[in-house]
């Protein structure tokens, strides 16, 4: 799947950089161009990909301070400069454009939906969003931002692939270390999804191509990505149970949005050396996925890859009925309520007749 990547905000820029780096390191050639956009100059300086500063006349390169309404405004006001900066990144070979953003920050949560809206007007390829939800401990401002941003970007994008920060977080890590781990996992998993159909070694019996990814995402709404891998035997006949096992793990314990198992459409990609991939195992796993997701649109195939492991990648399209989404939206609603509550004047507490004087 030939893609152009646009990272918006701090998290979006970092993930876009990792995705482009993973694709280059693996030699897949799926990423045709990558651009990072931010209103904070400092966040752009550390990136190795091309960057674009927005909102300089409003915030002077200092960011929007978590204000996603301001983030949307600076994106809208500088949208022509952004479209011009995309020249050379969105080539004629690009089959889709992905806008990548953390949905809790100011520039990402506000700017990403505004950018997706404009890209839909300018380009005739699918415009997808890769949105990263804040963890439960990241504060009410981030929850409220993400709730508003998610509601908007799902409406604007052809599909929104959600990554829950709590899903791939490893216990015991520092905050900075956790974000690095999550970004690496996003790069590996989403990078493999992009690379489907861009195989560099071998020829599978039933190779997945980009049209199957696009058709799975055609359901719109929210999409989810699952992943799991295991060491494989050299004889494919010995790997039937291995493929079944990693496929189950990918859906039941390895998704980017935990507990999201019901979907309108699904795609199963089994990656590994072609001689190690059992056809019977792939087909059994695909049928199991049909039963588990309740979807009759379950596609499946191989992704030839030089490795001693077999990996299962499960893409769900139209997965917004997940309980996890409902829980998050309720959390975001509560956070918004807290944000909207008027602050009390501390001085008024001293005039409260319900409190007795000490003397």
């Amino acid at each position: 799947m030939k893609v152009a990547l646009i990272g918006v905000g701090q998290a979006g820029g970092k993930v876009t950089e990792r995705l482009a780096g993973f694709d280059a390191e693996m030699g897949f050639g799926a990423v045709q161009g990558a651009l990072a956009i931010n209103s904070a100059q400092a966040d752009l300086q550390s990136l190795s990909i091309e960057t674009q500063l927005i909102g300089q006349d409003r915030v002077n390169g200092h960011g929007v301070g978590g204000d996603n309404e301001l983030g949307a405004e600076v994106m809208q006001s500088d949208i022509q400069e952004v479209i011009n900066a995309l020249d050379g990144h969105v080539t004629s070979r690009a089959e889709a454009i992905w806008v990548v953003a953390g949905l809790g920050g100011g520039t990402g949560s506000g700017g990403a939906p505004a950018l997706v809206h404009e890209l839909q007007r300018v380009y005739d390829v699918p415009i997808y969003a890769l949105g990263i939800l804040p963890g439960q401990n990241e504060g009410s401002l981030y929850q409220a931002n993400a709730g508003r941003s998610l509601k908007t970007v799902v409406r604007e994008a052809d599909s929104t692939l959600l990554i829950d920060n709590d899903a791939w977080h490893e216990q015991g890590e520092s905050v900075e270390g956790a974000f690095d781990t999550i970004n690496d996992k996003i790069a590996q998993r989403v990078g493999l999804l992009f690379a489907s159909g861009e195989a560099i070694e071998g020829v599978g019996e039933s190779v997945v191509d980009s049209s199957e990814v696009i058709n799975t995402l055609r359901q719109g709404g929210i999409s989810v990505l699952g992943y799991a891998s295991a060491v494989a035997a050299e004889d494919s006949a010995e790997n039937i149970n291995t493929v079944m096992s990693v496929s189950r793990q990918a859906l039941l314990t390895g998704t980017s949005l935990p507990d999201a198992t019901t979907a309108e459409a699904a795609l199963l990609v089994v990656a590994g050396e072609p001689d190690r991939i059992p056809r019977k195992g792939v087909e059994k796993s695909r049928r199991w996925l049909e039963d588990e997701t309740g979807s009759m649109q379950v596609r499946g195939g191989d992704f030839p890859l030089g490795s001693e492991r077999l990996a299962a990648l499960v893409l769900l399209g139209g997965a917004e009925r997940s309980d996890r989404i409902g829980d998050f939206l309720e959390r975001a609603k509560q956070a918004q309520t807290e944000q909207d509550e008027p602050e009390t004047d501390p001085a008024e507490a001293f005039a409260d007749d319900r409190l007795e004087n000490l003397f």
Side-chain angles (χ1 to χ4, degrees), residues 2-7 30-35 37 50 82-99 115 119-120 122-127:
K2 304 291 188 186
V3 302
L5 302 177
I6 310 170
V31 176
Q32 298 293 290
L35 176 69
I37 302 168
E50 190 171 328
V82 171
I83 296 299
N84 292 341
L86 290 175
D87 188 33
H89 295 284
V90 183
T91 68
S92 59
R93 300 183 66 195
E95 297 166 281
I97 300 172
W98 286 79
V99 176
L115 177 58
L119 293 174
Q120 293 282 21
V122 175
Y123 292 99
D124 193 28
V125 295
I127 310 297

Side-chain angles (χ1 to χ4, degrees), residues 240-319:
I240 294 176
N241 288 337
T242 302
V243 169
M244 285 291 296
S245 177
V246 294
S247 298
R248 289 173 181 268
Q249 290 175 42
L251 179 66
L252 300 178
T253 64
T255 62
S256 61
L257 193 68
D259 306 323
T261 58
T262 303
E264 297 295 329
L267 171 66
L268 170 66
V269 180
V270 177
E273 292 185 355
D275 292 342
R276 299 182 188 229
I277 299 176
R279 180 66 24 226
K280 185 177 180 181
V282 175
E283 185 53 33
K284 285 181 67 175
S285 297
R286 192 189 65 78
R287 289 199 301 269
W288 173 83
L289 198 58
E290 280 186 354
D291 293 338
E292 197 67 24
T293 61
S295 171
M296 296 303 292
Q297 297 185 60
V298 179
R299 302 167 177 85
D302 305 344
F303 178 33
L305 189 66
S307 174
E308 294 182 353
R309 302 178 70 86
L310 285 179
L313 201 65
V314 173
L315 176 66
L316 304 181

Side-chain angles (χ1 to χ4, degrees), residues 25-68:
E25 180 184 335
M26 297 298 291
F28 291 143
V31 176
Q32 298 293 290
L35 176 69
I37 302 168
N38 208 330
S39 60
Q41 180 71 56
D43 292 336
L44 295 175
Q45 289 174 342
S46 62
L47 300 177
S48 60
I49 57 177
E50 190 171 328
T51 63
Q52 175 73 25
L53 181 66
I54 60 172
Q56 195 163 8
D57 58 334
R58 295 285 300 276
V59 297
N60 200 30
H62 297 305
V64 297
D67 184 342
N68 64 355

Side-chain angles (χ1 to χ4, degrees), residues 42-175:
D43 292 336
L44 295 175
Q45 289 174 342
S46 62
L47 300 177
S48 60
I49 57 177
E50 190 171 328
T51 63
Q52 175 73 25
L53 181 66
I54 60 172
Q56 195 163 8
D57 58 334
R58 295 285 300 276
V59 297
N60 200 30
H62 297 305
V64 297
D67 184 342
N68 64 355
E69 288 188 8
L70 181 56
E73 288 173 14
V74 298
M75 177 64 78
Q76 289 167 336
S77 63
D78 288 359
I79 197 67
Q80 194 54 55
E81 288 82 354
V82 171
I83 296 299
N84 292 341
L86 290 175
D87 188 33
H89 295 284
V90 183
T91 68
S92 59
R93 300 183 66 195
E95 297 166 281
I97 300 172
W98 286 79
V99 176
V100 184
L103 300 185
T107 304
S109 68
L115 177 58
V116 169
H117 178 82
E118 183 66 15
L119 293 174
Q120 293 282 21
R121 191 181 69 84
V122 175
Y123 292 99
D124 193 28
V125 295
I127 310 297
Y128 302 125
L130 194 164
I132 304 164
L133 291 177
Q136 294 188 40
N137 62 347
E138 289 186 50
S140 61
L141 173 63
Y142 295 100
Q143 310 298 328
N145 278 352
R148 298 176 69 191
S149 181
L150 178 60
K151 183 178 179 180
T152 309
V153 79
V154 166
R155 184 183 68 229
E156 298 293 343
D158 289 301
S159 183
T160 300
L161 176 58
L162 274 190
I163 312 287
D164 188 333
N165 260 347
D166 288 335
W168 293 336
H169 172 78
E170 295 185 4
Q171 297 298 321
E173 286 186 308
S174 65
V175 173

